[in-house]
Amino acid sequence: MQIELSDEHVLLRDSVRRFAEEVVAPRAKEIDESGEFPREFYDQAGELGLAGVAVPEEWGGAGMDAVAYCLVIEEISRACATSGVILSVNNSLVCDPILKFGTDEQKREFLTPLASGAKLGCFALTEPGAGSDAAGLRTTARRDGDDYVLDGEKVFITNGTHADVALVFASVDLTKGHRGITAFLVPADREGYGHGSHEFKLGVNASGTTWLSFEDLRVPAAWRLGGEGDGFRVAMATLDGGRIGIAAQAVGIARGAMEEALAYAQEREQFGAPLASFQAIQFYLADMATELDAARLLTWKAAWAKENQKRYTLEAAQAKLFASEMAQRVTNKALQIHGGYGYTKEYNVERYFRDARITEIYEGTSEIQKMVIADWVVQRA
Amino acid sequence: MATLEAPPAAPPAVDFSLSEDQQLLRDEVRRFSEERILPGEAERAAEHRFPEEIVAEMAELGLLGMLIGEEHGGAGVDPLTYCLAVEELSRASAAVGVTMSVSNSVCAWPISRFGSEEVKRRVLPELAAGALGAFGLTEPGSGSDVASMRTSARRDGDSWVLDGEKAWITNAGFARWYVVVARTGPDPGKRGLSAFAVPADAPGFAVGRPEEKMGLTSSRTAPIHFTGCRIPAGNLLGTEGQGFKIALAVLDHSRLGIASQAIGIHQRALEVSTAYAKEREQFGGPIVELQAIRFKLATMATELAAARALTWYAASIAERTPRHPDAPRLASQAKLYASEAANRACYEGVQIHGGNGFHADYEISRLFRDVRVTAIYEGTSEIQRMVIARHLLH
């Protein structure tokens, strides 16, 4: 057991931090307010290798490991949670499953442009009637000669307004339940592909989250990812990895809020002394730092397990559950330390507070994580 | 196994795996705990009987000299290996866990670290062979505020003469050696303190009446009294005036032991609660099928993983970079989080057991009582938060 970042990790983290501070942070407030999808950020991130951090270089990625990926998402999310989730979706939910389940042809056609940042991906699983219960999806894929024909509607699709490629989950046979679910790689320029425009949200407001629609959308069978009926397994395996990204995002958001609260507590004076001199405030900060470190360690542990080909469903669920709930508490306390100023747009802390909220919901709510974790605990006992 | 003095110089990496030696030791201590400690624990706790026979067996297994170098008869293991042993013992008995960890962390360790060669040669082989150790810091009027202590030590020729009283001394009466912090200089506060190794047979040393405690009933806790208690001058640890520094170093170190104790209790609470939930039927089925119960188990398991991550991380840092500037904060974070999480886990464990959880026949009721002190001793949660905040605001 040894937890020390390698020189390569430190180099990456420092350069991503610089990029985040110089390029990402200055626009965070503006895109939060306008909701404008930061496509140029994504392009720049792609040039730095951040669109496919853990994808091998031969497929256009940066060829680094899962811990490196956590560092990237934490640093970007510390500056701007919207930017963090845009990258997280492309890396974890699109590149990763193609790398794991795709044919070489699919990797050439789809993975290389996605991992290099030339294209942007989205993950289309959730539907109006199928959220946590993903197996209840109603989008269909009908085989027709060498093609499949997709029909249906997806909602809450991050990157949906700007994505070039969607990983779509549809059923080849609704009577088969989750055994009918099949995954497809679908370019957004196909006829019959539709998407919505910006939808205002509580937080991560510029993540391009919107609906997608498929009407008689024809895709060649060669773009099916995995076999017919493998889709549910693909989705679940993908979400295991995605949870590491969201945990890292929550850690980044919480760290951003914590750092601002720490600075504020040292400069703001009340009762003739800095806030930081009061034990109540010190104890908030102590709890925040402790939980933040615990969350980061759980996240790295899940990443380490993934990188070493161990089963990591439990570790990823625990990291995601703990980190997202930690981020609620830490951003809430950070806002409290800021007092009335924390409630204004003058400070970043209200944005961190709003952005943190979604980490407990997407890529499996806290309740879904607890179901996953409880299954492991009960089966092993 | 790596010794305390020679941390390995492997290249940096993120690696959460335990070494083969660590896994072997953990398995061995677990087997010992299940065979030799668990079966008699309920009875010992009910009778408030000190586990003397287990102490002897722990010595045979080398568990009482884990932090003593091989040259003095110990195993000289790394901090994480030590944490694993404390966790496994505490999973079976928090009382055995604290008996063992006090002897190792707050007696053998400071003597190894700060004792003269002569003291080490005299004391450490005895401790490694099964003579217990103890630590005298707290006083009736001096708890969290260590620097306010009044016990004094005065130099008299080739001796030090101690006078005063120490309270809440784990292993008192069973220990052969006591590390004691006393006031040696006119300086009020922390600068006038020094640390000593005091043998149980020193003239003027006496043990008071054992305390009646809420939990850890089979561990021994009692006051110790010094009345013109004379010890050789060479029993001074470190140098005169270094006592406060030594006490803090001891506590930084021992906090990982208490964090591991809390983790062991937490692990056991999760196990017995899960087993109970699978067996107990209400509303026509086992309560483990109810989401409200499952979610409690999920939270207990997740917080357990977080407590382990913090503790093992702090232990790995302590091994590789003993003087790491964050080491005291990391130890405090581990102790704070692990003890509070274990308290929540035992609370929820009792809740899962319903009325049975309130009954002495069920192990969870003992765990609930035993776990409470982990958020108090070796620095209360409030002291840990002070330490952490001080580092953050530095």
Side-chain angles (χ1 to χ4, degrees):
Chain A
M1 167 118 175
Q2 178 191 332
I3 304 163
E4 274 176 277
L5 297 178
S6 68
D7 294 349
E8 201 187 9
H9 282 145
V10 171
L11 209 65
L12 172 79
R13 185 194 61 192
D14 292 349
S15 68
V16 175
R17 184 175 298 175
R18 219 167 22 249
F19 170 64
E21 288 176 353
E22 288 169 9
V23 177
V24 183
R27 288 209 62 203
K29 181 181 165 71
E30 177 197 331
I31 65 171
D32 169 60
E33 284 171 7
S34 68
E36 187 199 337
F37 187 86
R39 183 71 197 225
E40 70 295 345
F41 150 75
Y42 180 73
D43 295 341
Q44 287 171 286
E47 281 165 28
L48 293 173
L50 309 185
V53 177
V55 173
E57 289 173 43
E58 60 168 316
W59 301 117
M64 297 192 70
D65 66 3
V67 172
Y69 171 59
C70 293
L71 298 173
V72 169
I73 300 299
E74 176 180 337
E75 292 301 328
I76 298 291
S77 302
R78 167 180 172 251
C80 170
T82 285
S83 303
V85 74
I86 291 167
L87 284 189
S88 171
V89 164
N90 194 74
N91 274 276
S92 287
L93 300 191
V94 189
C95 288
D96 209 36
I98 304 175
L99 182 64
K100 187 166 181 188
F101 298 103
T103 63
D104 277 2
E105 192 200 325
Q106 289 170 340
K107 288 177 191 169
R108 252 191 313 276
E109 176 79 19
F110 294 98
L111 181 56
T112 301
L114 285 164
S116 64
K119 286 188 174 171
L120 173 72
C122 68
F123 180 79
L125 176 66
T126 299
E127 297 185 1
S132 292
D133 183 11
L137 62 80
R138 309 296 299 170
T139 296
T140 55
R142 177 173 53 80
R143 182 79 191 225
D144 182 29
D146 287 342
D147 295 340
Y148 285 90
V149 180
L150 274 58
D151 281 282
E153 191 188 353
K154 300 287 179 180
V155 292
F156 301 147
I157 308 306
T158 302
N159 295 351
T161 56
H162 285 70
D164 305 298
V165 176
L167 175 55
V168 177
F169 295 85
S171 177
V172 292
D173 183 351
L174 288 172
T175 65
K176 284 188 176 164
H178 74 270
R179 284 186 200 83
I181 297 174
T182 307
F184 297 93
L185 290 160
V186 182
D189 58 9
R190 299 295 283 185
E191 200 178 326
Y193 183 105
H195 65 80
S197 55
H198 173 252
E199 296 168 10
F200 272 99
K201 305 192 298 301
L202 175 71
V204 292
N205 192 33
S207 62
T209 305
T210 193
W211 53 264
L212 303 183
S213 67
F214 318 115
E215 281 178 43
D216 287 331
L217 173 71
R218 193 167 279 274
V219 294
W223 293 353
R224 190 186 67 212
L225 188 67
E228 275 198 6
D230 286 346
F232 192 73
R233 192 171 63 85
V234 170
M236 292 303 116
T238 300
L239 287 171
D240 280 349
R243 283 163 191 165
I244 297 174
I246 300 309
Q249 188 201 20
V251 169
I253 296 169
R255 190 175 121 227
M258 158 101 199
E259 287 171 350
E260 301 221 347
L262 194 59
Y264 186 83
Q266 286 169 292
E267 95 202 3
R268 167 79 170 168
E269 297 205 351
Q270 288 289 280
F271 304 107
L275 294 184
S277 67
F278 295 95
Q279 208 164 43
I281 302 299
Q282 290 176 5
F283 281 24
Y284 285 165
L285 292 168
D287 285 336
M288 291 156 80
T290 300
E291 291 193 31
L292 186 57
D293 278 359
R296 186 186 291 112
L297 288 165
L298 289 175
T299 306
W300 287 5
K301 186 179 179 196
W304 165 80
K306 178 176 195 282
E307 190 63 33
N308 288 277
Q309 321 291 329
K310 297 170 189 298
R311 291 210 60 176
Y312 67 98
T313 299
L314 174 68
E315 285 76 7
Q318 288 186 329
K320 202 274 191 182
L321 172 66
F322 189 92
S324 62
E325 296 195 341
M326 173 281 295
Q328 315 306 313
R329 291 188 290 269
V330 167
T331 56
N332 185 43
K333 281 285 179 270
L335 198 150
Q336 190 70 19
I337 290 169
H338 280 75
Y341 288 105
Y343 202 66
T344 70
K345 297 267 179 187
E346 196 179 323
Y347 287 85
N348 288 322
V349 73
E350 66 84 27
R351 193 185 77 240
Y352 287 122
F353 176 74
R354 287 184 290 107
D355 286 347
R357 190 65 188 83
I358 190 62
T359 62
E360 250 200 289
I361 298 174
Y362 58 20
E363 308 213 13
T365 60
S366 286
E367 292 69 30
I368 290 292
Q369 308 309 327
K370 287 182 186 174
M371 285 168 66
V372 170
I373 297 161
D375 285 349
W376 279 77
V377 171
V378 172
Q379 277 162 25
R380 275 193 200 169
Chain B
M1 282 185 212
T3 65
L4 279 177
E5 287 75 21
V14 174
D15 177 3
F16 284 82
S17 63
L18 297 176
S19 71
E20 213 167 293
D21 280 351
Q22 287 165 340
Q23 292 179 47
L24 279 172
L25 177 114
R26 185 184 59 182
D27 294 349
E28 187 188 347
V29 179
R30 172 165 293 216
R31 209 164 34 245
F32 169 68
S33 297
E34 294 198 335
E35 286 168 12
R36 304 296 304 152
I37 303 179
L38 255 181
E41 181 57 19
E43 196 181 305
R44 278 191 305 273
E47 295 171 358
H48 296 207
R49 184 158 54 76
F50 189 76
E52 272 183 283
E53 67 286 2
I54 289 169
V55 170
E57 292 180 52
M58 286 197 292
E60 276 170 41
L61 286 175
L63 297 176
L64 295 180
M66 293 189 84
L67 302 179
I68 295 170
E70 288 170 19
E71 69 281 15
H72 294 116
V77 303
D78 61 277
L80 177 52
T81 302
Y82 173 65
C83 285
L84 295 170
V86 175
E87 175 185 333
E88 288 302 330
L89 293 171
S90 303
R91 173 181 161 270
S93 164
V96 169
V98 73
T99 301
M100 175 272 200
S101 85
V102 160
S103 194
N104 276 291
S105 290
V106 295
C107 184
W109 187 79
I111 292 173
S112 304
R113 180 81 185 270
F114 300 104
S116 67
E117 268 314 308
E118 188 271 324
V119 166
K120 288 198 253 189
R121 267 201 308 278
R122 199 148 40 94
V123 178
L124 296 178
E126 272 191 28
L127 291 174
L132 281 176
F135 183 53
L137 182 67
T138 300
E139 298 183 1
S142 166
S144 292
D145 182 11
V146 171
S148 68
M149 71 169 59
R150 303 170 66 106
T151 295
S152 67
R154 150 179 78 77
R155 184 69 187 253
D156 181 30
D158 283 345
S159 309
W160 287 96
V161 180
L162 277 68
D163 281 284
E165 184 188 350
K166 295 287 179 181
W168 298 111
I169 308 307
T170 302
N171 294 347
F174 289 96
R176 160 77 184 134
W177 286 96
Y178 297 77
V179 169
V180 176
V181 183
R183 190 165 293 290
T184 48
D187 259 339
K190 58 193 182 185
R191 275 190 303 277
L193 304 178
S194 302
F196 302 91
V198 180
D201 58 5
F205 174 88
V207 176
R209 211 168 66 87
E211 307 292 352
E212 290 288 329
K213 307 190 296 294
M214 169 180 157
L216 298 183
T217 53
S218 67
S219 84
R220 180 57 59 91
T221 312
I224 53 178
H225 303 277
F226 306 94
T227 316
C229 174
R230 189 171 287 270
I231 57 171
N235 285 22
L236 175 72
L237 301 178
T239 56
E240 202 178 324
Q242 238 191 338
F244 190 75
K245 199 186 127 210
I246 291 175
L248 289 195
V250 167
L251 290 174
D252 278 349
H253 191 269
S254 68
R255 275 164 195 168
L256 295 182
I258 300 307
S260 302
Q261 185 199 26
I263 289 167
I265 301 170
H266 191 152
Q267 169 71 41
R268 186 69 184 163
L270 176 61
E271 287 170 20
V272 299
S273 301
T274 306
Y276 182 85
K278 286 167 102 162
E279 177 182 296
R280 171 73 174 172
E281 299 209 353
Q282 288 290 281
F283 306 108
I287 62 171
V288 78
E289 298 305 330
L290 303 172
Q291 210 164 43
I293 302 298
R294 291 179 92 81
F295 280 22
K296 286 184 198 293
L297 297 173
T299 300
M300 290 161 80
T302 301
E303 295 196 353
L304 177 60
R308 271 205 189 100
L310 284 171
T311 304
W312 293 10
Y313 176 60
S316 73
I317 291 290
E319 184 194 358
R320 281 180 62 83
T321 323
R323 288 174 203 288
H324 196 290
D326 291 336
R329 174 173 65 84
L330 296 173
S332 284
Q333 288 187 169
K335 200 275 191 181
L336 169 66
Y337 188 81
S339 63
E340 297 202 337
N343 270 278
R344 288 191 290 273
C346 291
Y347 179 94
E348 290 291 24
V350 169
Q351 197 68 21
I352 290 169
H353 281 71
N356 285 330
F358 203 63
H359 197 286
D361 280 354
Y362 283 81
E363 194 177 339
I364 192 71
S365 71
R366 190 186 77 243
L367 298 173
F368 180 77
R369 288 182 290 108
D370 286 350
V371 78
R372 187 63 186 85
V373 76
T374 63
I376 298 174
Y377 60 17
E378 317 252 17
T380 60
S381 287
E382 291 67 30
I383 290 291
Q384 308 309 330
R385 290 187 174 96
M386 284 168 64
V387 171
I388 298 162
R390 196 158 52 232
H391 276 81
L392 292 174
L393 295 164
H394 197 54

